[in-house]
Amino acid sequence: MEYRKIGNSDLELSVITFGAWAAGGWMWGSTDRNDAIKAIKAGYDLGVTSIDTAPIYGQGDSEEIVGDAIKGISRDKLQIVTKFGMRWDLAKGNLAMKSKNNAGEDIDVYKYAGKESVIYECEQSLKRLGTDYIDLYQIHWPDLTTPISETFEAVSRLIEQGKVRYAGVCNYDGAQLKEADQTLEIVSNQIPFSMVNRGVEKETVPYCIENNKSVLAYSPMERGLLTGKITADYKFEEGDHRQGNPYFKPESIAKTNAFLAKIKPLADEKQATLSQLVLGWTIERPGITIALVGARNAKQSIQNAEAINVKLTTDEIQFINTELKSAGF
């Protein structure tokens, strides 16, 4: 595995970081707790020492699963990355979505990052994760109802108390990042990025490069679309958020699969899966520091970790870029 420094900090994360959204089950149809724990452990054995989770993933379930998975592993060998600012248990801030929890009950999810809420959320996360500090603590989505300075004053206090090491953001644009930086040094921005979803390269990634903010790319596999295993007649489980997502409409699936067929011979040549080729390309993209990748089981987790062995030449990267362009991505 390779490790990269995050911003100006002394924190290093594994280039392939375990993304624990699907592990929480919520919005993914379901999860098998034991499979998720085995997936995290299998990744760790191959050097995936960084795990990204959030309280909202399964309303605490994902963090608890991570906590169970890391029991017995020396804490200084792990980097725990989690988030705050999405409340399903408090009706404050802006309503983000109406959803259902893992028991099928209706919940309202709010974007809220007021000072007391941030402090409270951190305490809850520490309990669920079974640890006394978080390596990187990130606001999950911008909260337009709370001054950015108030939110990061709270994180600053948590850093002073030793409960958090570094502050990051998710889904922030350059202007929001700049404002947050005035209160507390922000080391990273977690944003959506994949071969077929590169909108952040227009402004946000260049801002991060210029200001030494690491980019943690989430959904680099576009939620499974880039594995090549999704067909136009794919059946999603009840509660799977991908149903109805524009990327998973039959015409989008067909367009993506036609592109993947063009690059598959390169994957075969490298004795790699399509997923591994996609991840290899992602982590070489300018400005992308870390790829956050989910896995439902140990086999997928091992495959993700081994993507680090797929080395691409400049010509091979250019070939993929040319195919992306001609496919209309």
Side-chain angles (χ1 to χ4, degrees):
M1 187 49 61
E2 291 171 20
Y3 304 85
R4 289 180 183 167
K5 210 159 101 70
I6 302 304
N8 290 320
S9 75
D10 63 358
L11 175 65
E12 289 192 349
L13 299 184
S14 49
V15 172
I16 303 293
T17 285
F18 190 96
W21 178 14
W26 177 69
M27 293 180 75
W28 287 90
S30 66
T31 192
D32 182 299
R33 195 181 187 94
N34 288 334
D35 281 353
I37 289 169
K38 283 176 188 164
I40 293 168
K41 288 183 168 178
Y44 177 80
D45 289 343
L46 292 175
V48 179
T49 56
S50 313
I51 307 162
D52 174 85
T53 180
I56 192 61
Y57 300 159
Q59 295 71 57
D61 284 2
S62 175
E63 285 188 327
E64 285 177 1
I65 286 167
V66 171
D68 283 349
I70 63 174
K71 272 184 190 143
I73 299 174
S74 175
R75 182 63 183 86
D76 62 353
K77 301 275 193 294
L78 291 160
Q79 301 82 45
I80 303 298
V81 181
T82 193
K83 311 178 188 79
F84 63 89
M86 293 283 273
R87 296 292 298 264
W88 67 94
D89 52 345
L90 180 72
K92 259 184 144 173
N94 272 343
L95 181 66
M97 69 178 90
K98 289 186 169 292
S99 185
K100 287 187 186 293
N101 64 15
N102 284 343
E105 300 156 346
D106 291 331
I107 53 169
D108 291 343
V109 182
Y110 288 84
K111 293 176 185 171
Y112 181 62
K115 195 169 186 176
E116 297 313 313
S117 184
V118 177
I119 305 287
Y120 170 80
E121 282 204 78
C122 184
E123 295 301 335
Q124 299 306 304
S125 288
L126 290 171
K127 275 184 205 154
R128 287 190 289 257
L129 290 161
T131 186
D132 52 6
Y133 70 93
I134 292 158
D135 293 279
L136 180 61
Y137 203 38
Q138 315 158 105
I139 185 167
H140 204 149
W141 284 92
D143 165 21
L144 305 177
T145 68
T146 304
I148 287 175
S149 58
E150 179 186 326
T151 296
F152 286 98
E153 274 162 21
V155 180
S156 183
R157 196 161 110 196
L158 292 166
I159 290 173
E160 282 163 21
Q161 293 169 348
K163 292 172 182 174
V164 167
R165 289 183 66 202
Y166 295 104
V169 297
C170 305
N171 304 299
Y172 263 38
D173 61 24
Q176 290 164 326
L177 246 175
K178 190 175 181 183
E179 191 177 336
D181 243 352
Q182 289 167 5
T183 301
L184 179 64
E185 185 178 8
I186 303 299
V187 298
S188 62
N189 191 10
Q190 183 176 146
I191 46 181
F193 176 83
S194 75
M195 279 182 167
V196 297
N197 179 15
R198 303 200 306 278
V200 290
E201 287 190 324
K202 286 191 188 82
E203 291 173 10
T204 310
V205 172
Y207 180 89
C208 291
I209 292 171
E210 199 179 319
N211 293 277
N212 197 17
K213 309 294 177 199
S214 288
V215 171
L216 280 55
Y218 74 80
S219 299
M221 299 303 304
E222 205 48 64
R223 305 166 202 222
L225 180 66
L226 291 167
T227 60
K229 293 173 186 169
I230 307 283
T231 53
D233 58 353
Y234 189 88
K235 295 281 179 281
F236 294 102
E237 280 188 59
E238 184 68 35
D240 190 320
H241 74 287
R242 294 176 294 180
Q243 216 162 0
N245 180 300
Y247 284 107
F248 291 88
K249 293 213 163 109
E251 59 273 23
S252 173
I253 293 171
K255 179 181 170 183
T256 306
N257 285 346
F259 156 71
L260 292 172
K262 294 275 180 62
I263 65 167
K264 188 164 191 317
L266 177 58
D268 294 341
E269 196 184 302
K270 300 264 176 198
Q271 295 183 305
T273 64
L274 268 173
S275 300
Q276 289 170 332
L277 184 66
V278 170
L279 289 174
W281 176 90
T282 303
I283 58 178
E284 291 305 324
R285 197 72 181 157
I288 303 298
T289 317
I290 302 297
L292 300 168
V293 202
R296 295 290 199 124
N297 52 49
K299 187 183 171 190
Q300 288 177 2
S301 190
I302 289 164
Q303 183 180 295
N304 293 340
E306 288 177 344
I308 200 70
N309 302 323
V310 178
K311 302 299 178 199
L312 296 172
T313 65
T314 309
D315 286 350
E316 287 164 345
I317 290 170
Q318 190 52 53
F319 161 72
I320 294 171
N321 293 344
T322 303
E323 291 299 343
L324 273 171
K325 196 172 180 183
S326 64
F329 291 118

